[in-house]
Amino acid sequence: MSIEARPESASAPNVNAAQSSLDTAAARNLATTTKSAPQMAGISSRWLLRMLPWVEVTAGTYRVNRRLTYAAGDGKVTFVKTGSHVRVIPAELRELALLRSFEDEGVLAALADKFTQREFAPGELLAEASHPVDTLFLLAHGKVEQLAEGEFGEQNRLGVLANGAHLGEHGLLSAEASWEFTARAATTTTVLALSRQDFQSLADQSPTLRAHVEAYRAIPRQRVNKRGEAAIELASGHKGEAELPSTFVDYELAPREYELSVAQTVLRVHSRVADLYNEPMNQIEEQLKLTIQALRERQEHELINNPDFGLLHAADYDQRLQPHAGPPLPDDLDELISRRRGTRFLLAHPRTIAAIGREWTRKGLYPNTVEVHGSTVPAWRDVPILSCNKIPISQARTSSIIAVRTGEDNQGVIGLRQTGIPDEYEPGLNVRFMGLSEKAIISYLVSAYYSAAVLVPDALGILENVNIANWRD
C-alpha cells in the first residue's frame, strides 16, 4: 500500500501532539443528529387565499348573472372588460352626438367591431394641435391632458379627460377638421380608436347609417340609476286610484362565466430515496409539502395578476383611482374605501405598506391596529391593510393598493374551487400517482384548481400608480 505525501501547511494538525479525546467529526458518525424539516424561504403570508370566501364550483364553471347595465345619455361611453381585453358596448355608441337616436343595432355592432385597442404610456401624444383629425378616440382607462399654446407661447392646460370620454368625433364627418388642442396621456392610458376611413367605409355600405349621418339628432337621456342600471319604474306618494307604472328587471344576455384555472407540476422522486432514506422523515411527504407551498404561491400570484380573472385586471374602470400627489396619502385611502360599502380589507405590497406608514408618520397620525386570524396588522378606518408580495412594483417604483369587499351574500369578491376531486390532498388540490419509470423514478401529478369572481363592479377597487419611493424630509 502506498501512502501519498501531503504538503505541510500552517493549518495542518500537529502529528506529534497526542489526541486526548474523541474528535467531533468521528463522534457524529455514532450520534443521532437533531434536524429540522426542509425549510423554504419562498413562503409568504398569502393573505388573499386566507381572506377570500371560497365558493364550491361543482361543474367547473361559475356564471355571474347581473342586472342589465346600460348608461345612455350621460355623454360617457361604457365598455365591457374581459381580462385585459376591452370592447365598447355597441348601444353605448349612441353616447356620441353623431349617433344619438340611431336605431340599427346591427350597424352599431359592426361599428363597435372596427375599434382597435391601443395603449399609451405617460407622456405619449394621442393628437397634436393643428394636425388633421383622422381618428375617433374612446378613452377606456386613464387620464388625457388637453394642452394648448397660449398667447405668449406658454403651454396652457385646458382640462383633463377621464374614463368614458371621447375626442375626435368631428373628424368622422370632415376631412378638413383639425385638432384644436394637443392630447397627451397623463397616465398609462387605454383607448379604442376608429379611423375616419373605417367609419366612412361602413357608412358607404349602410344606407341607414349614411342617412343618419346626414341629419343626426340628439336623443333624450335614458332613465338609469346611479350605477348605470336600467331604472325600475315605481310610483310613490300617490293617492286614490292612480295608474301604476309597469316594469321588469332585465338581465345581461351574455353574463360572464369563470372557468376554473389550474396550476400543475410533476413531482419526481427516485425509488431508492423513497426506500432507503425515509427515516426519520418521509422523503415523499417532505417533497410534497414544499411543492404544495410553491403551488399555493403561484395560485395567489394568478389571483392577483392573471389577465382573465386576476384582481388587478378585473377591477372596473370607474373603480380605479389615481393618487392626488403620488405617495399613498390618507386622503387617497379614504377615497378608495368610500367607493364601496363594507370594504373588507386593503391589499398592498409590503413596500407600499411601508410607504403608507411614512405618510402617516409625516402627518403625525398613529392609526390603530386590528387582529386578523390571530395576527396584528395595521388598519385605516378599522379596515385591515394586508401584505401581498404578488402585487407588482414597476421600474418607476409605483404599485397598487387593492380594496376588496368579499362574500357571495354581500355581492363581493369570491374565490372559486371544486372540492371532492379524485385523489384530493387539500381542498381544490390533488396528488395523483403517475407511475414508475424504467429508471426507477416515481412521478406524482400535483394540481391546484382555482379562480376568482367579482360579483358586482364596486366590490373591487384599485388605487393605481402609487409612488412608494418618495422619500421626503
Side-chain angles (χ1 to χ4, degrees), residues 94 99-104 107-108 206 208-209 212 219:
R94 295 194 183 102
L99 296 176
R100 285 180 181 171
S101 76
F102 185 65
E103 300 294 340
D104 195 329
V107 175
L108 289 177
S206 170
T208 56
L209 179 59
H212 180 83
I219 62 172

Side-chain angles (χ1 to χ4, degrees), residues 69-199:
T69 301
Y70 174 65
D74 59 1
K76 296 183 66 176
V77 181
T78 306
F79 304 87
V80 172
K81 187 171 183 294
T82 304
S84 58
H85 179 69
V86 181
R87 185 177 185 272
V88 62
I89 298 175
E92 283 293 294
L93 292 174
R94 295 194 183 102
E95 297 299 339
L96 304 175
L98 175 61
L99 296 176
R100 285 180 181 171
S101 76
F102 185 65
E103 300 294 340
D104 195 329
E105 299 286 348
V107 175
L108 289 177
L111 189 60
D113 290 337
K114 287 185 175 294
F115 281 86
T116 59
Q117 183 173 339
R118 296 170 60 181
E119 308 287 337
F120 290 87
E124 283 193 78
L125 298 183
L126 284 74
E128 292 188 69
S130 302
H131 284 58
V133 182
D134 59 358
T135 304
L136 165 67
F137 294 106
L138 306 181
L139 183 54
H141 173 54
K143 293 182 179 180
V144 173
E145 298 176 315
Q146 294 175 293
L147 308 172
E149 185 175 325
E151 183 179 356
F152 302 100
E154 75 280 11
Q155 191 176 65
N156 296 328
R157 188 183 187 191
L158 304 181
V160 177
L161 300 176
N163 302 347
H166 52 84
L167 61 157
E169 180 182 356
H170 58 296
L172 300 181
L173 298 175
S174 172
E176 305 298 326
S178 61
W179 291 103
E180 299 177 354
F181 55 84
T182 295
R184 183 178 66 188
T187 64
T188 301
T189 303
T190 301
V191 302
L192 296 184
L194 175 69
S195 68
R196 182 174 61 246
Q197 181 179 359
D198 288 341
F199 179 81

Side-chain angles (χ1 to χ4, degrees), residues 16 55 62 138 217 249 255 270 278 367 385 399-400 441 445 472:
N16 295 324
V55 174
Y62 186 89
L138 306 181
R217 293 290 185 269
V249 180
H270 200 285
N278 258 1
I385 304 176
S399 188
S400 300
I441 296 178
L445 176 63
R472 298 178 293 174

